[in-house]
Amino acid sequence: MGAALDAITHPGDADGAAFAPSLGTRFLIFPQPPFIPGYEKPEVVWIGASAGPILGGPSDSRMYVADPIEPKIPYALPRLPPYRGFLQPPVEPGPDGHFDHIGPGSPGFLSTHSYACARRVLDICESYVGHSIAWFFEPTVERLEIIPRIQHWENAQSGFGFLELGESEPENATSCFALNFDAIAHEMGHLILLSELGILEGDGRGCDFFAYHESIADFISLLGLLQFDTAVDRLLRRTRGNLLLHNELDRFAELSDEKQLRSFNNSLKMGDVSNEVHDQSKPFAAALFDCLIEVYQSLLFEHGLSDLNPKRFSNLRQQLAPALIDEALRTSGSSYELHHFAIKAALEEARDIVGAAVMRSWDYLEPDSVTFGGAAEAFLAASYRGRGIAYINQLEDCMRWREIL
């Protein structure tokens, strides 16, 4: 109970008097690693009832945690799940069926945290694509196996039926990737894209399959971050809703503690990057972020929350000087607070408009022929068929400015 109360809680969750499985199951998640200032306490989240019964492990019908007792070698062909060594006892839910009584520092917290992060990302993506996502590794491997910690392994990886998490600094307990929502969401992004887009039949030469994967995994991580109230509230209150500051890299970094959000802060075009897949992925991921901000800024204008109309510019951040952006969007702290929740609603709506278009664009793509240009066209086609139609010219401009189209 003490661990649960030392978290960001909601009043209606505190008593835990009745177990209502139809509402889902409570867990604690750090939206950002706990060593980042402002994120020292986890947030209470609900894993939806669509997960079905969540049992000890934690485990459900789609995934489970396996915590090895002895040192484990990371999976690589031909070694695949399930893990056949000795395991720590499964972490059990409390009498109310929830797991939020297991807090940071508890022996089972890495297991509950890694499971909750992975399950939350799957729930988010399923809500955007509009159907249950079947794993690409089924039926050979029935469920995703999550290994919460491999000691002295500075990596995290996902693959055919597994998600494995190491640690960036073995001497630092908070450096475990199991505590890093961004890292878990990125790896889940790969698994979800493989499951929805499909796997390569060839070697990937002549297409952008691998670099596109990195772009989408990063963007899914960003979408996940923007689902946390604590992250959205802190971001908007620090910037007073002015997310156009992202174009001023140093200044935005001073204002923002959200590590994943800062990774999109670049002005890279396709001609600026190498052929290395992570480098090559950056312009497309940043273009998607540009699209999100364009829609957000348009919603602010439409709702009377800003006098700046993005539709007057083909690329707002590039055409309007930072000083003019500040002048157009400047608001005092007190006046911002009067509109905080309306501004927050605009950001969340923009998140959902762009997120849905990204994931529904996969219907137009084939893994062996995917290119960034084709992916941009598919994104625009999905936007045109959804709520993004009102902003289609702005979305296209974002892609063209990055030299993707």
Side-chain angles (χ1 to χ4, degrees):
M1 178 62 73
L5 292 179
D6 190 31
I8 298 166
T9 60
H10 305 285
D13 298 342
D15 55 17
F19 176 36
S22 62
L23 299 178
T25 307
R26 293 194 307 267
F27 286 83
L28 300 180
I29 294 181
F30 288 108
Q32 292 279 271
F35 54 78
I36 292 181
Y39 291 94
E40 296 87 356
K41 292 185 178 182
E43 182 173 331
V44 176
V45 300
W46 288 78
I47 300 301
S50 62
I54 300 178
L55 307 176
S59 63
D60 62 36
S61 62
R62 307 296 309 284
M63 60 183 70
Y64 64 94
V65 173
D67 188 6
I69 291 177
E70 67 270 24
K72 180 187 181 300
I73 299 173
Y75 284 126
L77 288 174
R79 298 187 308 277
L80 292 174
Y83 181 72
R84 303 185 185 281
F86 292 105
L87 298 172
Q88 300 286 353
V91 181
E92 298 292 343
D96 57 2
H98 299 289
F99 289 83
D100 59 338
H101 65 291
I102 301 170
S106 300
F109 187 65
L110 292 184
S111 293
T112 62
H113 192 271
S114 56
Y115 166 86
C117 291
R119 183 72 224 199
R120 185 171 173 88
V121 174
L122 179 62
D123 287 351
I124 290 167
C125 292
E126 287 186 338
S127 73
Y128 285 134
V129 299
H131 59 253
S132 178
I133 295 174
W135 297 125
F136 73 95
F137 45 78
E138 295 180 77
T140 305
V141 178
E142 294 182 356
R143 296 189 294 167
L144 177 68
E145 180 180 276
I146 302 170
I147 305 293
R149 186 180 188 185
I150 298 180
Q151 295 186 18
H152 309 295
W153 183 54
E154 298 181 20
N155 201 357
Q157 69 170 2
S158 55
F160 200 86
F162 62 84
L163 168 63
E164 302 188 289
L165 305 164
E167 51 194 7
S168 59
E169 300 175 22
E171 311 81 24
N172 184 352
T174 63
S175 75
C176 295
F177 289 120
L179 298 178
N180 189 323
F181 177 82
D182 288 342
I184 295 173
H186 179 95
E187 294 304 325
M188 286 296 295
H190 285 303
L191 294 173
I192 288 164
L193 185 57
L194 285 168
S195 299
E196 284 292 289
L197 178 61
I199 59 177
L200 286 169
E201 293 184 4
D203 59 9
R205 293 181 184 178
C207 73
D208 294 323
F209 179 84
F210 297 109
Y212 178 70
H213 249 270
E214 293 300 328
S215 297
I216 294 301
D218 279 344
F219 196 69
I220 285 176
S221 182
L222 172 64
L223 291 176
L225 173 66
L226 294 178
Q227 299 284 345
F228 287 97
D229 281 341
T230 47
V232 175
D233 283 339
R234 287 181 59 82
L235 174 67
L236 290 177
R237 285 196 162 107
R238 274 198 306 275
T239 61
R240 301 197 305 276
N242 182 1
L243 300 188
L244 293 170
L245 284 172
H246 91 91
N247 199 44
E248 301 175 75
L249 306 187
D250 295 335
R251 185 174 177 189
F252 190 84
E254 292 171 0
L255 288 171
S256 174
D257 290 331
E258 285 73 26
K259 182 174 63 173
Q260 181 61 23
L261 196 64
R262 292 204 305 274
S263 70
F264 292 87
N265 299 339
N266 66 68
S267 57
L268 295 172
K269 301 179 181 181
M270 293 304 297
D272 299 328
V273 296
S274 69
N275 291 328
E276 194 276 325
V277 293
H278 294 87
D279 195 36
Q280 195 177 14
S281 73
K282 292 176 182 177
F284 189 80
L288 293 177
F289 183 63
D290 291 346
C291 290
L292 187 152
I293 299 303
E294 285 283 334
V295 175
Y296 162 70
Q297 199 63 49
S298 296
L299 289 167
L300 292 183
F301 179 76
E302 293 167 13
H303 297 167
L305 298 167
S306 168
D307 295 328
L308 188 62
N309 183 2
K311 293 185 178 181
R312 292 174 49 207
F313 304 86
S314 62
N315 190 300
L316 182 61
R317 283 168 303 292
Q318 300 304 319
Q319 292 178 291
L320 194 60
L324 295 178
I325 291 176
D326 267 351
E327 181 179 350
L329 299 178
R330 185 179 296 120
T331 180
S332 67
S334 59
S335 62
Y336 170 79
E337 285 300 324
L338 292 174
H339 303 292
H340 170 75
F341 288 100
I343 292 172
K344 180 179 178 181
L347 178 56
E348 291 171 339
E349 184 177 357
R351 172 201 69 197
D352 294 341
I353 289 171
V354 176
V358 168
M359 296 190 197
R360 294 180 183 183
S361 72
W362 301 335
D363 290 338
Y364 302 93
L365 299 174
E366 294 293 336
D368 283 271
S369 59
V370 65
T371 63
F372 282 121
E377 292 174 355
F379 168 70
L380 294 174
S383 299
Y384 189 82
R385 295 193 174 203
R387 289 188 291 162
I389 188 173
Y391 315 102
I392 198 70
N393 291 334
Q394 294 163 266
L395 303 181
E396 183 175 353
D397 285 339
C398 289
M399 293 294 172
R400 290 195 182 282
W401 186 85
R402 298 279 180 173
E403 299 176 351
I404 296 167
L405 290 174

